[in-house]
Amino acid sequence: MMRKSIMYTLLTLAAIVMFFPIFYAISVSFMSTSDIAERRVLPSAVTLENYRNVMTSVPILHYLRNSFVVASITTLGMLVVSALAAFIFAFVPFRGRQAVFLLFISTLLIPWEATMIPNFFTIQSLGWMNNYLAMTVPFFALAFGTFLLRQHFKTVPLELYEAAQVEGLSKFQFFYKVVVPYAKTSFVTLGIYGFLTTWNMYLWPLLVTTNDSVRTVQIGLRRLQADEVATNWGLVMAGAVLVILPTLLLLAVGQKQLQKGLTKGAIK
Amino acid sequence: MHRSKTVAETIKQYRVPSTRTFWQKTANYRTAALYLLPSLLLFSVFMFYPMIYSLYLSFFFTDAQGSATTFVGFENYLYLFQQASFRNSLLVTLLFVAYTVPASVILALFLALIANEKLRGIGFFRTIFASTLGMSVAASAVIWLFMFHPTTGILNAALGLIGIPAVSWLTNSTMALISVSITTIWMNTGFSFLILLGGLQNIDEHLYESARIDGAGYFYQLRRITVPMLSPTLFFIITITFINSFQSFGQVDILTGGGPAEATNLIIYSIYREAFIYYQFGPASAQAILLFLAVLVITLLQFKFGEKKVHYQ
Amino acid sequence: MSITLKHMSKSFDHETFAVRETSVSIQEGEFFVLVGPSGCGKSTMLRMIAGLESITAGEIYINGTLANDMPPNKRQISMVFQNYALYPHLTVEENILFGLKVRKIPKKEQKKRCLEACDMLGMTEYLKRKPRELSGGQRQRVALARAVVSQMPICLMDEPLSNLDAKLRGQMRTEIRQLQQKLGITMIYVTHDQVEAMTMADRMMVLKKGEVQQIGKPLDIYNNPANAFVATFIGAPPMNVSNVTTKDGFTLPLTKDITLTSTVNLGEHKEILVGLRPEHIQLEQTATSIAIPAVTKNVEILGNETVMTCLVGDHEWKAKVPGQWNYSEQENITIYVDPANITLFDALASEERIECDLFAKEMAVVHGGSGR
Amino acid sequence: MSITLKHMSKSFDHETFAVRETSVSIQEGEFFVLVGPSGCGKSTMLRMIAGLESITAGEIYINGTLANDMPPNKRQISMVFQNYALYPHLTVEENILFGLKVRKIPKKEQKKRCLEACDMLGMTEYLKRKPRELSGGQRQRVALARAVVSQMPICLMDEPLSNLDAKLRGQMRTEIRQLQQKLGITMIYVTHDQVEAMTMADRMMVLKKGEVQQIGKPLDIYNNPANAFVATFIGAPPMNVSNVTTKDGFTLPLTKDITLTSTVNLGEHKEILVGLRPEHIQLEQTATSIAIPAVTKNVEILGNETVMTCLVGDHEWKAKVPGQWNYSEQENITIYVDPANITLFDALASEERIECDLFAKEMAVVHGGSGR
Amino acid sequence: GNNDQNEDTSANASEPANSNEQAASNSGSDDRVEIEFWHGMGGGLGETLEELVASYNDSQDSYVITPEYQGSYEELLTQFRTVGGTETAPALVQMFEVGTKYMIDSGFITPVQEWIDKDGYDVTQLEENILSYYTVNDQLYSMPFNSSTPALFFNEEKFVEAGLDPENPPRTFSEIKEAAELLTTDDTYGFSMLGHGWFFEQMIATQGVDYVDQENGRAADATEATFGGEEGLRVYEWLDEMNQAGTFNYFGRDWDDLRAAFQNGDVAMYMDSSAGTKDSVNNASFDVGVSFIPHADEIDPNGVVIGGASVWMGSGISEEEQAAAFDFMKWFNLPEVQAEWHVNTGYFATHPAAYDEDIVATEHEETPQLRVPIDQLQATVPGTATQGALITVFPESREQVVTSLEALYQGTSPEDALSQAIEGTNRAIEVSNRANQ
Ligand SMILES: Nc1ncnc2c1ncn2[C@@H]1O[C@H](COP(=O)(O)OP(=O)(O)OP(=O)(O)O)[C@@H](O)[C@H]1O
Ligand SMILES: Nc1ncnc2c1ncn2[C@@H]1O[C@H](COP(=O)(O)OP(=O)(O)OP(=O)(O)O)[C@@H](O)[C@H]1O
Ligand SMILES: [Mg+2]
Ligand SMILES: [Mg+2]
């Protein structure tokens, strides 16, 4: 009982601290300029003005659709490519594997600033400018995802590998029949992560697109801000909320999935 | 009968040379090659090639179009080391890493632990804790920028309420780095939380049952069971947070732009500025290479010493 | 410490019971054995007593205190889990000492207990290994050692010897029993091994689908099983049970030729089960036994015992006889049965045992002491 | 399919052997049982045959082909793991059908086999559960079902019945044996259960610390154990073994008063172990037995058998007699032993058995058929 | 009317893919030449720009211009650098003033002078002080688009409270310093300046000194910075003294932070872009005074350098497309268009005649503060100093200046801070020269 109430107290406090910025952003997005200037936490009167302005100033729905397409494709591709690599690093030993793995990890260390310009030229020479390909394919291979999945694959009990071998499974069958379902949670996690990071990319999509046909929502968000004139915080927050809303929803859904998909071990 | 024979002798006497053909022996290599091919291909094109290109550029000055024109040998590197600003960047980066990594991991672990309880409504809390994962760097930074706002910011307003004078969150050299760190920690937490929670839930319940019977207290269980069993996940999170910390860019760009007086000029930001604002790819590449090497060394050390402490199944 | 269960029940799915209204009082220092078919709720019951599984209904008292909500560590128990639950990241030694370290037992005492336990279990040379590097039986012994060193007043063991060889198991039996008596531990012990159950238990409880069938001293249960289930469950091979109908309430036709007579009227029991333990079928005539012709169907020689399956009339009966008997199949033999060894059960009323003495119809036999 | 091992050895640490120079040839359709103390290398051997553990030295042939490097899925085996190795994310049904799906057995056939196996194992109602919602014995049955449905020509089972109750285990024994014979499966079966070993095995191999002690038919091993280890390992309770020294090579003083005489000169064997099975100590005189005074020390009644520990001279012997005997401790009794049932072992030369016939000194007894 | 336009843009905006297709098919049937116009204007400015382009498209039927937002000015520059010279490059591109030198050297643009000459366009009608910035070697390279200058903004209420005359605001450094002292209270700072190199440049220029040598980089490639003399030091010392005295506070590099502080009464005087005048006046709860930027006591003010951005014409495109681009430029500089532009954005009108338009007059009547920057610009003394510096490494130099100023505010001495900025700038110039020789 005691323990329960302590837990709830901790949870509530932590939730307030963690969620405050998001809550505040949402709150501000419904405020009028004067409310904002008065540093209110809640709007004195809820106004939809900011949203109306966002909708009229940028083609936000079109951007959202593009973002959705890009993020979905990237997530899928990334899951497949990373999982394949992670499987090798967890289950198929060969001489020099550790070295190859570190080579993979090393790509995490490469500052993207250093790769952006050459990559841009690559994209250009491939003729992928203003194309979804430019925003998806380069992100299919992800050391981060490989690393994440490898860590989880390594917790698959060895006995299952043995049992599968005895049952006559080929490596690939073991991979998709045992490892993938076993590590479902980390796939969901990585999927969410991949989707969100792609969703949140800004500079790269800006670079490889020159017109609105395939541009994503973060660019739209950036369009709400300008330098030499006063920032309209309510508008900016409304934009931010519109951009994070889909991802927050996805997260809530994914979180449910995660909870359902738990496979607590019981090999014996 | 064979009491006296050692293992070595037995092996010598009865070892059967492997009958596997070359084709069979290399089966693993072939599987590996096949599975790794997509990754390696993409990495080569989008990671290794640019990196090598960067290495090349780092020995040059580049013209206004960004193409290498003047070979300068190690001048870019030497200049960096002479420069107080680069040394400052190094220091600031290390400080930033020291502020953010332990705090992020500990905060996320704490949240994961309290969210791992079987309580009514826990799903709600989990979603809340994971929510920062859904925030783009840009959106997060903008929100924090507004909260840090010297006049309209809610933080100073709150401080004012309890009678504390306004803090120059982003314009004071010491505070600015802390403010950026706070934002970064907040942003990192959602993801780390989710991963750690997953790790926690994969720990066999029986181990805790046994420990509970022994009367192990919460923290004892944490130290002796949870952390060791969670070690693969923790190792992952620490490594990733660490690397991410070195690469934190967006929040710096939006919150401080490297200022005030370079107090938040992390190397990665410095690279960005050099490359995309000054358009000096030579020095930018040199910094990128140095950053790469530094993180590489630390990561290698982490794998060498850290992964030993990790318990895999 | 004593343990009292009152109508304790558990349901996982709120449709079926895993444990149903169990009431029993276990005395301090008692060695209490739980037996029952696989999946009947033994482990669940143990886990409820340990506080690891919530109690759906009913009460549990430990030392007289209501303990439904008492956390496991307050219950002063040690436990051997059916699946061992070893810490994979700790060595054997660390696994064994885990609980002692938690309770801050002095280092020296820890060392002593650990060595004693490992000595007893033959695990001394494996102290530095991780569980992964142990054989199945060795893992089980680590789990056992963990419970042994803790010396808690209550000890719960879930099939702690199932993966050990017969010889070691025999030793362990004695050791555990001695230790339990020396320290006055209240032991609740789950086993599938008949010998363990019979030799170790002060009292024993037979479960079936979560419901208690009988509680009592092992011999009492063996000799006076409450119902056909208990009768067939205790004893290996199980008691032979055949369906017989009485016409007049006193005579029971066992085969075409042989009919048993009851001292009491069985008329109220419509359908009757006749139970006869394989050990009670002999191949040599004794004073009180009747001869019954039979045909061998299958002969299994287990060292110095032989288990024969024979057809007796329509019934297929197993007989366990000492020595090695090399009958082939389909041989005509004569078996000898003492009617006093026959137990009757009502085939309908939960297959309960019917109290009565039996005679063979042909002759009035003198009732002898059972088994001698 | 036949399996031949030649000097097969395994060492995990390159210092000690887990399995040492094992050579044996297992015929197609044979039921081959491995027994030995916990940690003696049974599982390791099974895993080597399955191809899950590399072979340190020696050869393994499957159907005549050298298979040292053959991957597990080429060996056409099915296996029951000692720790079950169930897929936690699959339901019982999916677990059972896993292998069949992989091998693209037609859906209908899958269904049929699954239902048959579940029926046999009493798991039909649990098909939709996940492993962690099952009891220990139920999990083991899933593991067993998985092997049963696969119908591979070679089947390896590592203590597949250890967590089942005696009754179910008895049924399973018969079922497995029947299935194996019906399908002509080559079975290698690890067990700690004496009854399983004796009744199921065509041949049986006794291991000790990785080394083969004896290979043979169960009854041969029981009757003619190669050495004292085998003799004490097979049979429960184990054979009584006492140290005796012969002075003249022909006489063996068993107690102060009773001396045995050998037909052959035992002079070359300095120290001699006298072995006598508990089942061969009787409480009633027969024609060929000698009477020996003894003092009871401990009496355990196991239903219709009683195990008594008695002091015979300096020796502590266990006796297993049919029936329930209610002796108390420290009672003086007389036990009867047929000298023909006594086995001698050289106490030094690997404790090997000494071939010889024995008489009691006082009287010339007629040598009778063993056990009858 | 205005409403129609609005609807037009929103329709345009919500389905750009469609409108592109439409435009493409338009050009097929009507033979309208279609060109892209890359810009870096976000927020309300971006909207105004798109409305402007839309009304151009409506005003004639030969050309269609598609505005494409390419991120901030820096990002726009990066983008143009990478695609410049390729077929993805646009016909029209907006570029901020510090990118001017790069654009000139890049070879990816056609100087508008060529078209002015070809077309016989009378360029002298436009504001001279704006043109001068984009004129190098007597050639006009790009067409002025959005131009602004800094001005001093002050809180008239606080002035009155402190006993200062709002009609007669301080002009020189020492006057500012004194006023700041009077204006400073417990919760108000007297003066502040944004962390942006632009303001420092203005105070160098107004002292008649070049920022770099080679006639502010206009005669040849600059080789070193020249703002490190006493003129630069005056500025640093002035700021340092106020900072030490506690009458100055630094509010960071973010335009908005400083503006909010001013609106909130946390600071009484600051410098802002003239483009922000209208917002500032409208949002404030007090009367906002606007005046000329401060200058050192020792000299007469020379005026200001233009800031903002201009529009460039891409090279390597068809004559027709260039014609389209030039046509847009001409149209854009019409007095009536400029009047609208000035009123809607606060940027200067490039055509002085625009100020005579009715809407401008009304606007100026409503907000007389708008006149001040115009006067300041028109009073500027022509010369290389006020023409503005041309260097490729301007972004880097600005960063150096801001960093050194920040160091100054944290306690570095003015001399050290200034020399830090000079060294940084010189190194940047040197590297760039060696790389581009
Ligand atoms: N992975 C390993 N590393 C090191 N030693 C091992 C490993 N696996 C088993 N051993 C050792 O090898 C020996 C044989 O083990 P094995 O599992 O074959 O025994 P077993 O006969 O199956 O015993 P049990 O009846 O207890 O299951 C044991 O002493 C064990 O400790
Ligand atoms: N977590 C669970 N969810 C649902 N049902 C469960 C769960 N755990 C156990 N059961 C069911 O409850 C019943 C009793 O299980 P329990 O483990 O107590 O059996 P047991 O007597 O220990 O059997 P065994 O001898 O096989 O170990 C079984 O039918 C089992 O399937
Ligand atoms: Mg159980
Ligand atoms: Mg084993």
Side-chain angles (χ1 to χ4, degrees), chain A residues 57 59 120 124 202-203 206-207 209-212 215 222-231 233, chain E residues 13-14 16 36 38 42-43 47 50 68-70 72 75 79 82-83 148 255-256 259 273 279 347:
Chain A
S57 59
F120 179 82
Q124 222 172 19
Y202 168 67
L203 209 50
L206 182 71
L207 265 181
T209 59
T210 57
N211 60 50
D212 274 345
R215 279 195 172 166
R222 182 61 178 259
R223 264 176 85 162
L224 298 176
Q225 288 159 276
D227 257 350
E228 275 184 90
V229 292
T231 307
W233 285 106
Chain E
S14 58
E36 282 190 355
W38 286 11
E47 276 176 64
E50 293 198 338
E68 295 287 0
Y69 173 74
Q70 304 293 346
S72 68
E75 287 156 358
Q79 193 91 340
T82 40
V83 303
S148 59
W255 293 84
D256 198 61
R259 284 185 184 135
S273 161
D279 272 343
Y347 285 116

Coordinates of all heavy atoms in Angstrom, one line a residue, chain A residues 57 59 120 124 202-203 206-207 209-212 215 222-231 233, chain E residues 13-14 16 36 38 42-43 47 50 68-70 72 75 79 82-83 148 255-256 259 273 279 347:
Chain A
S57 N -0.8 29.7 -43.8 CA 0.5 30.2 -44.2 C 1.3 29.1 -44.8 O 2.3 29.4 -45.6 CB 1.2 30.9 -43.1 OG 1.4 30.0 -42.0
P59 N 1.3 24.9 -46.5 CA 0.4 23.8 -46.9 C 0.7 22.6 -46.0 O 1.3 21.6 -46.4 CB 0.9 23.5 -48.3 CG 2.3 24.0 -48.4 CD 2.4 25.2 -47.5
F120 N 25.2 14.9 -50.9 CA 24.4 15.7 -51.7 C 24.8 15.5 -53.2 O 23.9 15.3 -54.0 CB 24.5 17.2 -51.3 CG 23.7 18.1 -52.1 CD1 22.3 18.2 -51.9 CD2 24.2 18.7 -53.2 CE1 21.5 19.0 -52.7 CE2 23.5 19.6 -54.0 CZ 22.1 19.7 -53.7
Q124 N 22.7 13.9 -56.2 CA 22.5 14.7 -57.5 C 22.9 13.9 -58.7 O 22.2 13.8 -59.7 CB 23.4 15.9 -57.4 CG 22.7 17.1 -57.9 CD 23.5 18.4 -57.7 OE1 24.7 18.3 -57.5 NE2 22.8 19.5 -57.8
Y202 N 15.4 17.6 -40.8 CA 15.2 18.9 -41.4 C 16.2 19.3 -42.5 O 15.8 19.5 -43.6 CB 15.2 20.0 -40.3 CG 15.2 21.4 -40.8 CD1 14.1 21.9 -41.5 CD2 16.4 22.2 -40.7 CE1 14.2 23.2 -42.0 CE2 16.4 23.5 -41.2 CZ 15.3 24.0 -41.9 OH 15.3 25.2 -42.4
L203 N 17.5 19.3 -42.1 CA 18.4 19.9 -43.0 C 18.6 19.1 -44.3 O 18.6 19.7 -45.4 CB 19.8 20.0 -42.3 CG 20.7 21.1 -42.8 CD1 19.9 22.5 -42.8 CD2 21.9 21.2 -41.9
L206 N 15.7 19.4 -46.7 CA 15.8 20.8 -47.3 C 16.8 20.8 -48.4 O 16.6 21.4 -49.5 CB 16.2 21.8 -46.2 CG 16.2 23.2 -46.6 CD1 14.8 23.7 -46.9 CD2 16.9 24.1 -45.6
L207 N 18.0 20.1 -48.2 CA 19.0 20.2 -49.1 C 18.6 19.5 -50.4 O 18.9 19.9 -51.5 CB 20.3 19.5 -48.6 CG 21.3 20.4 -47.9 CD1 22.5 19.6 -47.4 CD2 21.8 21.5 -48.9
T209 N 15.8 18.8 -51.7 CA 14.6 19.2 -52.4 C 14.7 20.6 -52.7 O 15.2 21.4 -51.9 CB 13.3 18.9 -51.5 OG1 13.5 19.7 -50.3 CG2 13.1 17.5 -51.1
T210 N 14.1 21.0 -53.8 CA 14.1 22.4 -54.1 C 12.7 23.0 -54.3 O 12.5 24.1 -54.5 CB 14.9 22.7 -55.4 OG1 14.3 22.0 -56.4 CG2 16.4 22.4 -55.2
N211 N 11.7 22.1 -54.2 CA 10.4 22.6 -54.3 C 9.5 21.7 -53.4 O 9.9 20.7 -52.8 CB 9.9 22.6 -55.7 CG 9.9 21.3 -56.4 OD1 9.4 20.3 -55.8 ND2 10.4 21.2 -57.5
D212 N 8.3 22.2 -53.3 CA 7.4 21.6 -52.3 C 6.8 20.2 -52.6 O 6.2 19.6 -51.7 CB 6.2 22.6 -52.1 CG 6.5 23.6 -51.1 OD1 7.5 23.4 -50.4 OD2 5.7 24.6 -51.0
R215 N 8.6 17.8 -50.1 CA 9.1 18.4 -48.9 C 8.3 17.9 -47.7 O 7.1 17.7 -47.7 CB 9.2 19.9 -49.0 CG 10.4 20.3 -49.7 CD 10.7 21.8 -49.5 NE 11.9 22.1 -50.0 CZ 12.4 23.3 -50.2 NH1 11.6 24.3 -49.9 NH2 13.5 23.5 -50.7
R222 N 9.7 25.2 -40.0 CA 10.7 26.3 -40.0 C 10.3 27.5 -40.7 O 10.6 28.6 -40.4 CB 12.0 25.7 -40.7 CG 13.2 26.6 -40.8 CD 13.6 27.0 -39.3 NE 14.8 27.8 -39.4 CZ 16.0 27.4 -39.2 NH1 16.2 26.1 -38.9 NH2 17.1 28.2 -39.2
R223 N 9.4 27.3 -41.7 CA 8.9 28.5 -42.4 C 8.1 29.4 -41.6 O 7.8 30.5 -42.0 CB 7.9 28.0 -43.6 CG 8.6 27.8 -44.9 CD 7.7 27.2 -45.9 NE 6.9 28.3 -46.5 CZ 6.3 28.1 -47.6 NH1 6.3 26.9 -48.2 NH2 5.5 29.0 -48.2
L224 N 7.6 28.9 -40.4 CA 6.9 29.8 -39.5 C 7.7 30.8 -38.8 O 7.2 31.8 -38.3 CB 6.1 28.9 -38.5 CG 5.1 27.9 -39.1 CD1 4.5 27.1 -38.0 CD2 4.0 28.7 -39.8
Q225 N 9.0 30.6 -38.8 CA 9.9 31.5 -38.1 C 10.6 32.4 -39.1 O 11.0 32.0 -40.1 CB 11.0 30.7 -37.3 CG 10.4 30.0 -36.1 CD 11.3 28.9 -35.7 OE1 11.2 27.8 -36.3 NE2 12.1 29.1 -34.8
A226 N 10.8 33.6 -38.6 CA 11.6 34.6 -39.4 C 12.5 35.4 -38.5 O 12.2 35.5 -37.4 CB 10.6 35.5 -40.2
D227 N 13.5 35.9 -39.1 CA 14.5 36.5 -38.3 C 14.2 38.0 -38.0 O 14.2 38.4 -36.8 CB 15.9 36.4 -39.0 CG 16.7 35.3 -38.3 OD1 16.3 34.9 -37.2 OD2 17.8 35.0 -38.8
E228 N 14.1 38.8 -39.0 CA 14.1 40.2 -38.8 C 12.8 40.8 -38.3 O 12.8 41.9 -37.9 CB 14.5 40.9 -40.1 CG 16.0 41.0 -40.2 CD 16.4 41.8 -41.5 OE1 16.6 43.0 -41.3 OE2 16.6 41.2 -42.5
V229 N 11.8 40.0 -38.2 CA 10.6 40.5 -37.6 C 10.3 39.7 -36.4 O 10.8 38.6 -36.2 CB 9.4 40.4 -38.6 CG1 9.5 41.4 -39.7 CG2 9.2 39.0 -39.1
A230 N 9.4 40.2 -35.5 CA 9.1 39.5 -34.2 C 8.6 38.1 -34.4 O 7.8 37.9 -35.3 CB 8.2 40.4 -33.4
T231 N 9.0 37.2 -33.6 CA 8.5 35.9 -33.7 C 7.1 35.8 -33.1 O 6.9 36.4 -32.0 CB 9.4 34.9 -32.9 OG1 10.8 35.1 -33.3 CG2 9.0 33.5 -33.1
W233 N 5.1 33.7 -31.2 CA 5.3 32.4 -30.5 C 4.1 31.5 -30.6 O 4.2 30.3 -30.7 CB 5.7 32.7 -29.1 CG 7.1 33.1 -28.9 CD1 7.6 34.4 -28.7 CD2 8.3 32.3 -29.1 NE1 8.9 34.4 -28.7 CE2 9.4 33.2 -28.9 CE3 8.5 31.0 -29.4 CZ2 10.7 32.7 -29.0 CZ3 9.8 30.5 -29.5 CH2 10.9 31.4 -29.3
Chain E
A13 N -1.2 27.5 -51.9 CA -0.3 26.9 -50.9 C -0.7 25.5 -50.5 O 0.2 24.7 -50.3 CB -0.3 27.8 -49.6
S14 N -2.0 25.3 -50.3 CA -2.4 24.0 -49.8 C -2.2 22.9 -50.9 O -2.1 21.7 -50.5 CB -3.8 24.0 -49.3 OG -4.6 24.4 -50.4
P16 N 0.4 22.7 -53.6 CA 1.4 23.2 -54.5 C 1.7 22.3 -55.7 O 2.0 22.7 -56.7 CB 2.6 23.4 -53.6 CG 2.3 22.5 -52.4 CD 0.9 22.3 -52.3
E36 N 11.6 29.6 -61.4 CA 11.6 29.5 -59.9 C 12.2 30.7 -59.3 O 13.2 31.3 -59.8 CB 12.3 28.2 -59.5 CG 11.4 27.0 -59.7 CD 12.0 25.8 -59.0 OE1 13.1 25.9 -58.4 OE2 11.4 24.7 -59.0
W38 N 13.8 31.4 -55.7 CA 14.2 30.9 -54.4 C 14.3 32.0 -53.4 O 15.0 33.0 -53.6 CB 15.5 30.1 -54.4 CG 15.4 28.8 -55.1 CD1 14.4 28.3 -55.8 CD2 16.5 27.8 -55.2 NE1 14.7 27.1 -56.3 CE2 15.9 26.8 -55.9 CE3 17.7 27.7 -54.7 CZ2 16.7 25.6 -56.2 CZ3 18.5 26.6 -54.9 CH2 17.9 25.5 -55.6
G42 N 10.8 33.4 -44.1 CA 9.8 32.6 -43.4 C 8.8 33.5 -42.8 O 8.8 34.7 -43.0
G43 N 7.9 32.9 -42.0 CA 6.9 33.7 -41.3 C 6.0 34.5 -42.1 O 5.8 34.2 -43.3
E47 N 4.8 35.0 -46.4 CA 3.5 35.0 -46.9 C 3.3 36.3 -47.8 O 2.8 36.2 -48.9 CB 2.5 35.2 -45.8 CG 2.1 33.8 -45.2 CD 1.2 34.0 -44.0 OE1 0.1 34.5 -44.2 OE2 1.6 33.7 -42.9
E50 N 4.9 35.7 -51.1 CA 4.2 34.8 -52.0 C 3.0 35.6 -52.6 O 2.6 35.4 -53.8 CB 3.7 33.6 -51.3 CG 5.0 32.7 -50.9 CD 4.6 31.3 -50.6 OE1 3.5 31.0 -50.2 OE2 5.6 30.4 -50.7
E68 N 9.9 29.5 -54.1 CA 10.2 28.3 -53.3 C 11.1 28.7 -52.1 O 12.2 29.2 -52.3 CB 11.1 27.3 -54.2 CG 10.3 26.7 -55.4 CD 9.2 25.7 -55.0 OE1 9.1 25.4 -53.8 OE2 8.6 25.2 -55.9
Y69 N 10.5 28.4 -51.0 CA 11.2 28.7 -49.7 C 12.4 27.7 -49.6 O 12.2 26.5 -49.7 CB 10.3 28.5 -48.6 CG 10.9 28.7 -47.2 CD1 11.3 29.9 -46.7 CD2 11.0 27.6 -46.4 CE1 11.8 30.0 -45.5 CE2 11.6 27.7 -45.1 CZ 12.0 28.9 -44.6 OH 12.5 29.0 -43.4
Q70 N 13.6 28.2 -49.3 CA 14.7 27.3 -49.2 C 15.4 27.4 -47.8 O 16.6 27.1 -47.7 CB 15.8 27.6 -50.2 CG 15.2 27.5 -51.7 CD 14.8 26.1 -52.1 OE1 15.2 25.1 -51.4 NE2 14.1 26.0 -53.2
S72 N 16.6 29.2 -44.1 CA 17.1 30.5 -43.7 C 18.1 31.0 -44.7 O 18.4 30.3 -45.7 CB 17.8 30.4 -42.3 OG 19.0 29.6 -42.5
E75 N 21.0 28.8 -45.1 CA 20.6 27.5 -45.8 C 20.4 27.8 -47.3 O 20.8 27.0 -48.1 CB 19.4 26.9 -45.2 CG 19.7 26.3 -43.8 CD 18.5 26.2 -42.9 OE1 17.4 26.7 -43.3 OE2 18.6 25.7 -41.8
Q79 N 22.4 26.0 -50.3 CA 21.6 25.4 -51.3 C 22.0 25.9 -52.7 O 22.3 25.1 -53.6 CB 20.1 25.7 -51.1 CG 19.2 24.9 -51.9 CD 18.8 23.6 -51.1 OE1 19.5 23.2 -50.2 NE2 17.7 23.0 -51.5
T82 N 25.4 24.7 -53.7 CA 25.6 23.3 -54.2 C 24.9 23.1 -55.5 O 25.4 22.3 -56.3 CB 25.0 22.3 -53.2 OG1 23.8 22.9 -52.6 CG2 25.9 22.1 -52.0
V83 N 23.8 23.8 -55.8 CA 23.2 23.5 -57.1 C 23.5 24.6 -58.2 O 23.1 24.4 -59.3 CB 21.6 23.4 -57.0 CG1 21.2 22.4 -56.0 CG2 21.0 24.8 -56.6
S148 N 17.0 47.1 -45.4 CA 16.7 47.7 -44.1 C 18.0 48.3 -43.5 O 19.0 47.9 -44.0 CB 16.0 46.7 -43.1 OG 17.0 45.7 -42.9
W255 N 16.9 37.8 -32.1 CA 16.2 39.1 -32.3 C 15.0 39.2 -31.3 O 14.8 40.2 -30.7 CB 15.6 39.2 -33.7 CG 16.7 39.3 -34.7 CD1 17.3 38.3 -35.3 CD2 17.1 40.5 -35.3 NE1 18.2 38.8 -36.3 CE2 18.1 40.1 -36.3 CE3 16.8 41.9 -35.2 CZ2 18.8 41.1 -37.1 CZ3 17.5 42.8 -36.0 CH2 18.4 42.4 -36.9
D256 N 14.3 38.1 -31.2 CA 13.1 38.1 -30.4 C 13.3 38.4 -29.0 O 12.5 39.0 -28.3 CB 12.4 36.8 -30.6 CG 10.9 36.9 -30.3 OD1 10.3 37.7 -30.9 OD2 10.5 36.3 -29.3
R259 N 13.8 42.1 -28.4 CA 12.5 42.8 -28.7 C 11.6 42.6 -27.5 O 10.9 43.6 -27.1 CB 11.9 42.3 -30.0 CG 12.6 42.8 -31.2 CD 11.9 42.4 -32.4 NE 12.6 42.8 -33.6 CZ 12.9 42.0 -34.6 NH1 12.4 40.8 -34.7 NH2 13.6 42.5 -35.6
S273 N 16.3 46.5 -36.4 CA 16.2 46.7 -37.8 C 15.0 47.6 -38.1 O 14.0 47.5 -37.5 CB 16.0 45.4 -38.5 OG 15.5 45.6 -39.8
D279 N 6.0 46.6 -36.3 CA 5.7 45.6 -35.2 C 6.0 46.2 -33.8 O 5.2 46.1 -32.9 CB 6.6 44.4 -35.4 CG 5.9 43.4 -36.3 OD1 4.7 43.5 -36.6 OD2 6.6 42.5 -36.8
Y347 N 10.2 47.1 -45.0 CA 11.5 47.3 -45.7 C 11.4 48.6 -46.5 O 10.3 49.1 -46.8 CB 11.7 46.1 -46.6 CG 12.2 44.9 -45.9 CD1 11.4 43.7 -45.9 CD2 13.4 44.9 -45.2 CE1 11.8 42.6 -45.3 CE2 13.8 43.7 -44.5 CZ 13.1 42.6 -44.6 OH 13.5 41.5 -43.9

